[in-house]
Amino acid sequence: MPPFWTKMRRGTKERKAVLQLAPDDEGLAAETAPGMLDPDIALQGPATLLTDPGGKLAIDTELRQVCAVMSDGSFYVHKDQVDRADISALPHTAMTMLGLKLGQPIPCEFSELQEIYGESVSSGEYASKARAEIERILNDAASRRASDIQITFLPTGTQVVYHLNGYRTDKVRELPPLLGDAVYHAAYYLADHGDTVNASSENVKVSIADASKLPPSVSGVRMQFAKLANGRHLNLRLIYTEKEIAAGGLAALGFSKPQLLRFREAQKSAAGLITNAAPTESGKSTTLAIFCSELMDMNDNRLTVVSADDPPEGIDPRVLQFSVDSSVDPDAQDPFEKVLEASLRVAPHVVKIGECRTKNTAIAAMQAVYTGKLVLTTLHTLNAMQIPLRYKWLGVPADTAFDPDLHRLWVAQRLVPTLCATCKIKASENLNDAVTEALVASFEPVLKEQLKNVCVAGSGCSNCRDVGSMKGLVGRKLVAEVVRPTELLLSHLKEDTRKGRDYWLRNTNEKSMRLLGLDHLLAGTIGLAEYASFIGSADDLSFDLTATMQRGEPKRPHTLTGPSFSHKRVVH
């Protein structure tokens, strides 16, 4: 395939614009480039690159990544950068300095600009600009309250998107390949915790805990570097300060009054295991961090609270943060277990573990409980009732995983996107949409006449267009279930998770996450698609409604039957 610039045209005549490409037409070699006004400046023969380092038209390193000016007046500009002020000023600069009239900008890709410049520009020139670029991206993301920044580094360029309200945004920024490469490495060397600093920045996780490097509203950043089949990827999770997250504590996060009473009871416990279970990006770590901060306030800062996270998440400076290096020899002692042993030697009252990922970490956490500590941790499960089963799956002996003396509190939560009040529409009026039609058909047997109150996201309006990343969504609402494990509940769960959930719903006045989500669904706060995606299916909701309606009735010996329970399934 011929080089990119041999295919570009000025007017109707094809022209060759290459650094050292001899023309195959003698007439073309003798022709003066039409953009040249001064014959002393015009170069005979093939067009030359004026914006090369040391070339006749001096521009800075960053600008060189997005445009190129040829001696025949050809003006190549990256397709997304045409409207930049400094790009628009280049024709005037070329005319003033060289007497050269530039043609209209020719939109092109980064890869095509790379082809024009060849090896004349090195990534080292961009090292000084990379730090400023990272700061620019972090500040912009924090101002939009993004939860994550996703940067994908490909040979054709680097793309930046954010996570807002649980979904990806459109591309917010595109960087030239060499600047992107410099940003990738500069981000790694900004880290001050995590995998060994001298390790390659491929498939490692590190964090920035030094607040002086971050926007005022952000207390830390977790970074995951990963290799792709065709490039590299960097995810930055922004950890906002306690003031930014919830100045009003757990109540400000959105927990109900009965749930807050459960938290207060747990905060007065001398020992026990508190587990928050949820998928990623559900706010579980934030909930436990606020729980610890409230605990410190209640006790006039007289408690010693230690935290073992990989990487550290420092929201409250009163918490002793123990760094965990997960890059140690896999045959050596589990790094979490090792750090937990060290943390217990500082006589803590409360121990917070970022996540129980392995059998050894889970057992070490439980051993800390048995020595009289209040231990907080997180798991990845679908609901609170699966917590002891998840510990069992990790390898904890069943008698320990289901021990009622061990567990103090279970939390399961979701951050569910909320509907724009201005442009939301009734689900029944949007049946021409295939997804809405399918969901209405699924939920109609459960909700019956209440379905008329259910809404879905609209097509977007001026009130929501710049708030989130998805049309018709404006924020997120916490929906959770908070459970005080009892001996009877654990005995039922040990026998069967489904039976345990049925027992909990029949014999307590607590609302499950599915039922609390139903309240928000019927109020039009969240949409039908968001309920199904983040909380549960129609079958899940039917199970909880059926059990709740039978509160106070003796448990029937036979299995629940009916349209929603005609088959055995795993509870989600």
Side-chain angles (χ1 to χ4, degrees):
M1 179 181 294
F4 148 73
W5 57 86
T6 65
K7 298 182 291 183
M8 302 302 293
R9 294 177 180 269
R10 287 183 53 78
T12 60
K13 185 173 181 178
E14 186 171 9
R15 174 180 303 281
K16 300 197 176 193
V18 56
L19 297 180
Q20 299 297 331
L21 181 63
D24 53 8
D25 184 344
E26 294 181 1
L28 179 62
E31 182 183 359
T32 301
M36 290 296 185
L37 299 182
D38 186 346
D40 293 329
I41 296 175
L43 298 176
Q44 300 300 314
T48 59
L49 181 61
L50 299 181
T51 49
D52 209 27
K56 294 181 180 293
L57 186 59
I59 59 176
D60 68 26
T61 303
E62 195 275 333
L63 194 58
R64 195 178 295 121
Q65 278 279 283
V66 297
C67 72
V69 175
M70 310 300 295
S71 61
D72 66 352
S74 299
F75 184 22
Y76 300 110
V77 182
H78 183 263
K79 56 184 175 57
D80 292 337
Q81 311 287 331
V82 174
D83 296 329
R84 280 176 48 167
D86 49 359
I87 295 289
S88 301
L90 268 181
H92 176 74
T93 303
M95 176 64 75
T96 302
M97 295 179 59
L98 305 177
L100 174 64
K101 182 178 180 181
L102 300 187
Q104 290 296 315
I106 302 171
C108 60
E109 301 288 344
F110 280 131
S111 58
E112 294 165 338
L113 287 166
Q114 271 190 303
E115 193 174 349
I116 292 176
Y117 281 102
E119 300 298 326
S120 62
V121 181
S122 68
S123 60
E125 296 184 57
Y126 299 94
S128 60
K129 296 181 177 291
R131 173 70 180 269
E133 187 64 42
I134 294 170
E135 290 178 356
R136 187 181 298 116
I137 293 170
L138 283 171
N139 283 315
D140 182 55
S143 70
R144 302 192 197 189
R145 294 287 299 166
S147 62
D148 293 77
I149 303 168
Q150 294 190 343
I151 310 179
T152 304
F153 305 83
L154 301 173
T156 55
T158 296
Q159 294 191 354
V160 182
V161 301
Y162 301 152
H163 258 223
L164 288 176
N165 302 329
Y167 293 103
R168 282 166 53 97
T169 65
D170 293 330
K171 179 180 64 179
V172 296
R173 193 166 180 80
E174 185 169 9
L175 307 178
L178 293 179
L179 179 57
D181 184 69
V183 165
Y184 185 87
H185 291 93
Y188 180 71
Y189 287 108
L190 274 176
D192 42 42
H193 286 87
D195 292 351
T196 306
V197 173
N198 293 327
S200 168
S201 54
E202 308 285 358
N203 298 325
V204 295
K205 55 182 179 295
V206 293
S207 68
I208 306 172
D210 183 354
S212 66
K213 303 176 183 177
L214 302 170
S217 61
V218 177
S219 66
V221 175
R222 291 186 301 184
M223 296 189 289
Q224 176 65 58
F225 294 80
K227 291 186 70 173
L228 304 177
N230 59 341
R232 293 172 293 185
H233 184 80
L234 169 59
N235 191 89
L236 298 95
R237 171 68 54 83
L238 275 60
I239 304 164
Y240 290 92
T241 62
E242 182 180 352
K243 179 180 179 181
E244 192 73 15
I245 296 170
L250 291 171
L253 291 181
F255 289 101
S256 67
K257 185 174 181 179
Q259 291 173 340
L260 290 173
L261 293 176
R262 289 296 187 195
F263 279 115
R264 302 294 174 248
E265 179 186 7
Q267 284 169 330
K268 291 300 181 182
S269 301
L273 182 62
I274 298 175
T275 306
N276 192 332
T280 57
E281 205 180 330
S282 297
K284 54 188 182 297
S285 297
T286 299
T287 296
L288 294 187
I290 300 298
F291 180 95
C292 285
S293 294
E294 286 190 349
L295 196 58
M296 298 282 282
D297 293 337
M298 289 176 182
N299 292 277
D300 298 325
N301 298 327
R302 303 297 183 184
L303 299 183
T304 299
V305 179
V306 301
S307 175
D309 296 313
D310 180 23
E313 297 180 358
I315 291 181
D316 193 326
R318 297 172 296 180
V319 175
L320 300 178
Q321 295 279 348
F322 280 73
S323 179
V324 180
D325 185 0
S326 61
S327 63
V328 299
D329 183 352
D331 296 327
Q333 183 183 15
D334 183 274
F336 267 103
E337 183 183 5
K338 186 176 182 179
V339 168
L340 278 174
E341 287 181 2
S343 68
L344 292 176
R345 297 190 187 104
V346 303
H349 299 89
V350 181
V351 178
K352 184 169 77 74
I353 303 170
E355 181 186 340
C356 279
R357 298 185 180 96
T358 66
K359 172 185 175 181
N360 289 343
T361 304
I363 290 177
M366 293 173 181
Q367 287 174 341
V369 173
Y370 290 136
T371 62
K373 311 301 179 187
L374 187 63
V375 178
L376 292 71
T377 191
T378 67
L379 283 176
H380 290 302
T381 68
L382 297 173
N383 56 64
M385 297 299 129
Q386 288 186 334
I387 287 174
L389 182 61
R390 174 64 173 160
Y391 281 121
K392 182 181 175 183
W393 288 343
L394 286 176
V396 176
D399 289 343
T400 303
F402 290 88
D403 182 0
D405 294 328
L406 172 73
H407 298 281
R408 187 63 58 229
L409 194 71
W410 296 339
V411 183
Q413 64 182 72
R414 301 289 190 276
L415 292 176
V416 185
T418 53
L419 298 177
C420 173
T422 304
C423 65
K424 67 182 180 182
I425 57 177
K426 296 292 185 181
S428 57
E429 299 173 3
N430 195 44
L431 296 181
N432 57 329
D433 177 75
V435 173
T436 302
E437 182 184 19
L439 289 173
V440 166
S442 177
F443 278 84
E444 189 172 23
V446 180
L447 299 178
K448 299 181 173 62
E449 69 278 359
Q450 290 183 311
L451 189 63
K452 67 179 183 293
N453 299 317
V454 174
C455 295
V456 294
S459 57
C461 65
S462 58
N463 291 329
C464 63
R465 190 173 297 120
D466 297 325
V467 178
S469 58
M470 293 285 282
K471 294 178 180 178
L473 301 178
V474 293
R476 291 195 289 180
K477 175 171 283 294
L478 178 80
V479 181
E481 57 192 24
V482 180
V483 181
R484 171 65 174 96
T486 64
E487 186 172 358
L488 276 174
L489 173 59
L490 281 157
S491 66
H492 283 87
L493 288 171
K494 188 175 182 180
E495 181 182 352
D496 181 79
T497 303
R498 188 181 175 84
K499 291 180 180 178
R501 186 174 190 86
D502 182 70
Y503 168 82
W504 174 62
L505 291 167
R506 283 170 175 269
N507 294 279
T508 68
N509 291 321
E510 295 170 347
K511 273 192 169 183
S512 69
M513 183 166 54
R514 300 166 186 170
L515 297 178
L516 286 169
L518 176 61
D519 293 341
H520 297 305
L521 178 65
L522 297 179
T525 307
I526 65 176
L528 188 58
E530 286 65 48
Y531 185 97
S533 297
F534 288 83
I535 299 176
S537 66
D539 274 357
D540 295 331
L541 177 58
S542 180
F543 183 97
D544 285 15
L545 284 171
T546 301
T548 302
M549 288 187 292
Q550 296 171 347
R551 279 178 178 166
E553 297 180 11
K555 181 70 172 71
R556 292 175 296 183
H558 57 81
T559 304
L560 288 168
T561 58
S564 298
F565 304 104
S566 58
H567 60 282
K568 182 76 173 179
R569 61 181 179 82
V570 177
V571 178
H572 293 298

